Structure formats: structure tokens, C-alpha cells
Amino acid sequence: QVQLVESGGGLVQAGGSLRLSCVSSGIIFRLNAAKWYRQAPGKQRELVASITATFDTHYADSVRGRFTISRDNGKKTTYLQMNSLVPEDTAAYYCAVETTGGTHYWGQGTQVTVSS
């Protein structure tokens, strides 16, 4: 049974920071890519950051330099450190893992709200 459990969202003022966590189970996490998506009301889902099984990272242009994705294979956890937050970062954030077979599994989402 594959499960991803996210935490760390909340309300923060512009310029502040949050750290999102996503703990996985039921998969061989070290073999899978981990990703963070976000979706704001009325907008399409956006890939924010990803990290491969070999620790290569990729970022959306809108967050590069402010967000950092990481992973701890021993804890089967991926993190998204978000610094210098702006109101445009307000969205529901979702963790996902992609298995070696190409299947995506999703967390339940955690809300991030950035006030000005």
C-alpha cells in the first residue's frame, strides 16, 4: 500500500520561510524520483521542483534560487525548503513520487498561504 503523507504548510507573511515534508511508504523510495507540485485556485497544476534517484534537481523558473528540494532515503522523505516567499506562492502543494514503472503516487496536499 503506497502512501505519501505531507506536512509543513501554513500561513506565512511575505519574505518568510516554510519547510514541507513528505514521508512515503510502500515503495522503494531510493529508486524513485520525488516531485513537488502546486495548484492555485483557478490555475493548472504546476511542477515546482523534482529530484531524481541520483539526486539531480530541477526547479521551475519561478522558484529557482528560493526553493530547495532534497531527499533523505533513510527516512523515505522528500523536503521542500521554501524561502523568500511571495503571495504568488500561495497554493496547495502536493508531493508525488514516480516509480521506475512511470506511475505517479500523490500525497493529500498541504496548503501554503503567503500574505503580503
Side-chain angles (χ1 to χ4, degrees):
Q1 192 73 223
V2 177
Q3 293 187 30
L4 280 70
V5 180
E6 302 168 345
S7 62
L11 175 64
V12 65
Q13 289 185 307
S17 298
L18 287 173
R19 189 195 195 201
L20 307 183
S21 300
C22 175
V23 182
S24 64
S25 61
I27 57 172
I28 307 176
F29 178 75
R30 64 181 177 85
L31 301 180
N32 300 334
K35 305 176 181 180
W36 287 95
Y37 293 84
R38 68 186 181 187
Q39 187 166 25
K43 296 184 178 180
Q44 291 186 318
R45 185 181 63 194
E46 174 188 22
L47 177 62
V48 175
S50 64
I51 183 167
T52 70
T54 52
F55 294 85
D56 295 320
T57 59
H58 303 271
Y59 298 94
D61 289 342
S62 59
V63 307
R64 186 175 294 109
R66 300 188 297 119
F67 291 11
T68 302
I69 189 171
S70 61
R71 66 190 297 158
D72 185 333
N73 289 338
K75 296 181 178 179
K76 303 187 72 171
T77 300
T78 185
Y79 304 94
L80 185 68
Q81 178 68 47
M82 305 185 294
N83 298 327
S84 302
L85 285 162
V86 295
E88 290 75 19
D89 295 319
T90 296
Y93 284 72
Y94 297 89
C95 174
V97 295
E98 182 180 5
T99 70
T100 54
T103 300
H104 279 72
Y105 294 94
W106 297 88
Q108 80 285 355
T110 185
Q111 179 67 37
V112 172
T113 302
V114 184
S115 62
S116 60

